Structure formats: C-alpha cells, structure tokens
Amino acid sequence: MAKSFTQHEAQPGTLHLIQERFITKEEEQTYIEVPFEVANERFERIEIRYHYDNRSAGSVVDIGLKSPERIVGWSGGARDSFFVGVEKATPGYLAGSLPAGTWAVLLGAYRVPEAGCRVTVEITAVPA
C-alpha cells in the first residue's frame, strides 16, 4: 500500500494537505481511513476534494468524513467535493464545531479493478 503525504499552508493560517492512497483489489469492499490532524479549533470550514484513477476500468470509490467525535457525513460517489463548516455544510454532512484532533476522510472501496486504483484527497481547512 503506497501512501504519500504533502502539507503546506496555502495562506497564513490555512491548512492545505494532499494525500495519495493506492487501493488494491484485496481492499475492495472495505472502508479506508485517510487521517489528518486539525491542530486547534480556529477553523471555520473544512473542504475536501478527491479524485481517483481507473474509472474507465470500473473503479468506484465512495467518500465520507469522520471527526474526532463522530461520522460527520457520507456522500458515496455522488460528489467529488464537499465541505463542513461551523454553520453550514454540503447536504449529507453535518454543520457544527470543528474540534481539534485526528479527523479522517473515509474511502469506501466499493469496486476496485485488478490493477488497483490511486486516490488523491485534497484537504483544506479555512480559518475563522
């Protein structure tokens, strides 16, 4: 399982993280967590984007989000991006506090071809 991580601040105070995860055929029908740290509670909004390869070969990877406290939402394969914020969120996700701690993007490896597929997840946390 190959993973790579890069992190940088796009603007002062903004967390921007890109993570890649290779999903193998053996991981099909499992849920994979892609963890990331929210160091403090100064953020107003967390935005997630993702894409994956081998769609033409039949790859289907669903997506959701977990906070340190609970599942925040799930959109399956219906979206390639979503956000959660203190007052608003994409339909299918819960608005509310954005606590510090370990969060995780949830990947549902619904259908994975024999060759596997690479998923890229982009996480942006916007300060209040």
Side-chain angles (χ1 to χ4, degrees):
M1 294 181 289
K3 293 191 257 183
S4 65
F5 306 94
T6 60
Q7 180 174 336
H8 67 278
E9 287 194 2
Q11 303 171 10
T14 300
L15 172 71
H16 186 84
L17 179 66
I18 298 171
Q19 298 192 29
E20 291 185 354
R21 175 65 156 77
F22 186 80
I23 301 175
T24 65
K25 177 68 173 173
E26 292 75 28
E27 293 176 292
E28 186 174 64
Q29 299 296 312
T30 66
Y31 294 96
I32 298 162
E33 292 191 9
V34 179
F36 64 97
E37 290 296 320
V38 173
N40 56 53
E41 297 181 9
R42 68 180 182 185
F43 295 108
E44 172 76 22
R45 173 180 172 119
I46 296 174
E47 301 169 354
I48 308 291
R49 287 181 169 62
Y50 87 125
H51 67 276
Y52 55 94
D53 60 8
N54 291 338
R55 284 186 187 218
S56 62
S59 293
V60 178
V61 178
D62 298 333
I63 194 165
L65 183 65
K66 183 175 92 170
S67 77
E69 302 166 345
R70 64 183 178 177
I71 302 291
V72 177
W74 185 260
S75 52
R79 305 181 189 286
D80 60 5
S81 66
F82 62 88
F83 75 92
V84 294
V86 173
E87 295 184 17
K88 295 181 183 179
T90 298
Y93 293 83
L94 301 171
S97 67
L98 305 176
T102 302
W103 288 63
V105 174
L106 305 172
L107 301 176
Y110 179 70
R111 193 173 311 134
V112 180
E114 289 297 326
C117 72
R118 181 168 311 282
V119 180
T120 302
V121 178
E122 184 176 355
I123 302 153
T124 304
V126 180

